[in-house]
Amino acid sequence: MTENRDNTGNNIKIKVTPDGPYIVTGDIPLSRQEIVPDQQGYSYKWKEEFKYPRQEQYALCRCGHSGNKPYCDGTHTRAEWNGTETASTEDYLKQARRLHGPGIDLTDAQELCASARFCDRAGGTWKLTKKSDNPEARDLAIQQAGNCPSGRLLVWDKQTGQAIEPDFEPSLGIVDDPRLKVSGPIWARGGIPVEACDGTEYEVRNRVTLCRCGRSENKPFCDGTHVLIGFSDKD
């Protein structure tokens, strides 16, 4: 098992429990993160709404039925839901397709899409990558891919071969999507290990999104189903 520690030395981890919550350890900060649209309605930037009190360990609802969201209140033991994990354990690059552009490359693992829609502006991140010999298009593609909470999209520097990633401290965000009037996934940032029920560790990535509506077909990761079912953590 890989140990990942934050800058204070805490051993951080998210453990998926069988048909139960996510157990978060290591005093990982938790906040609410809102998707802010531009004037045309496209997802544009993130805004932190507020921070939850710090805790060394806490349990986050995974079934979507807790009366104390985002925290677990034990409702999963009575709710009708299936928490079986179905996500691939293959590394990101084995799942992703690569698009070559003149200034940057873009990799896209579509199965990881959390429907945050940052990739739609200005014709889309894919079109911008194809036009990345234009500095404005290149910069916008990097911004859009960096705002993708699930890390579905990654931009790569053609000279160094390295991914161009936002610099995140280990933290969790509860996503709010006011434009679509839905509550989104848990946004895990900064390379937090996610351990499956059977002890298998998923690839540690800078950005992942974890399902909290209970209905994803790519558990434990979000697949955008919260949008289709109109999931709200205020119900």
Side-chain angles (χ1 to χ4, degrees), residues 51-121:
K51 297 178 180 179
Y52 291 91
R54 296 286 290 262
Q55 300 180 71
E56 173 61 30
Q57 179 172 302
Y58 50 95
L60 295 178
C61 176
R62 188 163 77 93
C63 70
H65 296 286
S66 171
N68 189 36
K69 301 181 188 73
Y71 299 109
C72 172
D73 68 355
T75 303
H76 59 274
T77 61
R78 304 183 299 276
E80 293 184 5
W81 80 294
N82 184 350
T84 302
E85 293 167 88
T86 54
S88 172
T89 56
E90 284 193 326
D91 287 354
Y92 168 85
L93 286 177
K94 292 183 178 178
Q95 301 181 57
R97 293 185 177 183
R98 184 176 290 263
L99 173 65
H100 297 279
I104 53 174
D105 288 348
L106 179 72
T107 50
D108 178 4
Q110 189 173 358
E111 289 293 319
L112 301 176
C113 183
S115 297
R117 309 179 308 286
F118 286 96
C119 54
D120 292 338
R121 292 172 58 232

Side-chain angles (χ1 to χ4, degrees), residues 4 34 36 43 45 68 85 97 140 147 161 184 191 221 231:
N4 196 3
E34 180 181 304
V36 179
S43 298
K45 64 180 181 179
N68 189 36
E85 293 167 88
R97 293 185 177 183
L140 189 51
N147 275 329
F221 303 112
F231 174 69

